[in-house]
């Protein structure tokens, strides 16, 4: 691969005489390919979805600034990309509204003497009150909230939150949540099929779910796709995936590119691009109150 090689953020195709790449006009960080002739201005649908995944951090900030809320009975997905990775170190998940809220927002609310949920203002329940928590989650599941389905599916897998372990029920909830657009559900299904402990191992299904999650902006799914390509020896596609997730603030992806650079599989230009993108993402998501 030459030092000037570029990779499509949608399908990881390498730029060549037959593959033309254009920069995303939203973030200017990644590029997408146009594989068909006679297209109008702008990427085809598949590439647009890829850009939405790659630019999740940009769109997440826009949604935060505009005060995104539930509207018209449809549930907006969590703004995962607004939280530094690993997210659990910088944010909390609130089952009352199924929103992941950064620690900085929580601190800001407490400073204003608001000690309930920073998003929906529901009083915080005690950790020991499992029955109330389960009822609250089930209410959201009954309302067809995909994030609630994904959340409850995880508890069925491990037999926690007052429910018995039931892998079949877990898969049912994740499948329905995935159909409703939950990237977490796609990620969990991908992991389930990849490890082969609870269900027969199926790499094809794992990849399909991780690809859908990555297209929705799920960083860990994008890293997993890079890891699979790396493990299969397709270093070009692996770098393509790692570059996207590194630019979304994933340290593991940056480290993977660093190791590939040391092994001679990544060019100086690609490593510099990954490092610069990671640093930009980290700076943009930094908050003194987190």
């Amino acid at each position: 691969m030459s030092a000037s090689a570029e990779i499509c953020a949608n399908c990881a195709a390498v730029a060549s005489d037959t593959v033309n790449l254009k920069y995303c006009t939203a973030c200017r960080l990644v590029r997408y390919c146009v594989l068909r002739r006679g297209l109008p201005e702008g990427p085809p649908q598949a590439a647009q979805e890829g850009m939405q995944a790659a630019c999740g951090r940009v769109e997440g900030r826009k949604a935060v600034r505009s005060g995104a809320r539930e509207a018209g009975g449809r549930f907006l997905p969590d703004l995962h990309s607004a939280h530094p990775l690993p997210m659990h170190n910088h944010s909390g998940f609130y089952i009352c509204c199924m929103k992941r809220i950064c620690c900085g927002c929580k601190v800001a609310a407490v400073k204003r003497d608001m000690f309930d949920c920073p998003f929906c203002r529901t009083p915080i329940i005690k950790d020991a009150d499992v029955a109330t928590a389960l009822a609250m989650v089930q209410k959201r599941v009954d309302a067809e909230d995909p994030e609630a389905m994904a959340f409850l599916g995880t508890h069925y897998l491990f037999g926690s939150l007052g429910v018995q372990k039931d892998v079949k029920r877990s898969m049912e909830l994740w499948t329905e949540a995935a159909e409703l657009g939950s990237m977490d559900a796609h990620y969990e299904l991908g992991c389930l099929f990849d490890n082969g402990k609870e269900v027969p191992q199926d790499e094809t299904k794992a990849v399909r779910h991780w690809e859908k999650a990555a297209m929705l902006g799920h960083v860990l799914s994008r890293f997993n796709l890079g890891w699979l390509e790396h493990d299969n020896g397709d270093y070009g596609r692996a770098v393509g995936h790692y570059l996207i997730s590194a630019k979304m603030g994933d340290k593991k992806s940056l480290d993977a590119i660093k190791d590939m650079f040391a092994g001679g599989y990544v060019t100086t230009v690609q490593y510099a691009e990954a490092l610069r993108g990671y640093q930009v993402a980290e700076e943009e998501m930094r908050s003194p109150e987190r």
Side-chain angles (χ1 to χ4, degrees):
M1 185 179 296
S2 67
S4 60
E6 294 285 354
I7 300 174
C8 174
N10 178 46
C11 65
V14 179
S16 65
D17 293 338
T18 58
V19 178
N20 181 31
L21 300 183
K22 294 184 178 180
Y23 273 108
C24 167
T25 56
C27 68
R28 306 299 300 177
L29 293 176
V30 293
R31 307 181 80 177
Y32 62 87
C33 62
V34 178
L35 302 177
R36 294 174 294 171
R37 296 180 180 179
L39 286 173
E41 285 299 317
Q45 182 63 31
Q48 288 178 348
E49 293 174 354
M51 286 305 95
Q52 290 171 4
C55 304
R57 176 164 40 83
V58 176
E59 295 304 317
R61 293 200 305 275
K62 290 179 180 178
V64 170
R65 288 197 296 268
S66 63
R69 293 294 187 271
E70 296 172 6
R74 297 181 61 187
F75 294 96
L76 297 175
D78 286 353
L79 302 177
H80 292 260
S81 53
H83 312 300
L85 298 172
M87 289 187 295
H88 63 268
N89 288 346
H90 306 279
S91 63
F93 188 76
Y94 291 76
I95 62 174
C96 47
C97 54
M98 292 293 152
K99 300 298 180 186
R100 182 167 290 279
I101 301 171
C102 77
C103 295
C105 293
K106 181 180 179 180
V107 170
V110 170
K111 285 182 176 179
R112 292 169 174 79
D113 296 324
M114 296 185 293
F115 300 98
D116 46 15
C117 173
F119 186 85
C120 68
R121 302 293 181 253
T122 298
I124 304 299
I125 62 174
K126 297 180 179 179
D127 292 339
D129 195 353
V130 177
T132 300
L134 179 59
M136 192 175 288
V137 174
Q138 188 61 55
K139 182 179 179 180
R140 299 290 293 185
V141 171
D142 294 340
E144 298 186 346
D145 182 342
E147 301 311 320
M149 294 175 185
F151 180 80
L152 186 57
T154 301
H155 285 287
Y156 268 108
L157 180 67
F158 296 106
S160 53
L161 198 67
V163 300
Q164 295 294 321
K165 180 173 180 176
D166 188 337
V167 178
K168 181 179 179 181
R169 179 58 178 155
S170 182
M171 289 191 65
E172 289 174 349
L173 286 165
W174 281 339
T175 299
E176 187 173 356
E179 290 174 351
L180 292 172
S182 170
M183 60 182 178
D184 284 334
H186 278 299
Y187 170 73
E188 295 293 355
L189 285 168
C191 292
L192 199 66
F193 285 115
D194 178 65
N195 61 43
K197 294 181 180 179
E198 303 291 348
V199 299
Q201 189 174 36
D202 191 326
E203 185 175 307
T204 300
K205 289 183 179 179
V207 169
R208 185 171 72 246
H209 283 293
W210 281 339
E211 285 178 341
K212 290 182 178 179
M215 296 283 277
L216 292 169
H218 198 277
V219 182
L220 294 180
S221 293
R222 181 68 72 174
F223 169 81
N224 286 351
L225 290 173
W227 176 80
L228 282 178
E229 297 291 359
H230 192 171
D231 193 50
N232 291 332
D234 194 335
Y235 301 123
R237 291 181 66 86
V239 172
H241 289 302
Y242 286 151
L243 275 173
I244 295 172
S245 45
K247 291 176 181 179
M248 296 173 76
D250 183 36
K251 183 64 163 54
K252 292 192 302 182
S253 298
L254 179 64
D255 290 340
I257 290 179
K258 181 179 179 181
D259 290 341
M260 293 179 72
F261 174 70
Y265 299 106
V266 169
T267 67
T268 302
V269 172
Q270 289 173 324
Y271 180 42
E273 180 184 355
L275 181 61
R276 182 170 58 253
Y278 173 80
Q279 291 172 340
V280 169
E282 190 178 46
E283 180 63 29
E284 290 182 347
M285 291 186 289
R286 180 176 294 134
S287 167
E289 293 184 327
R290 281 188 173 131

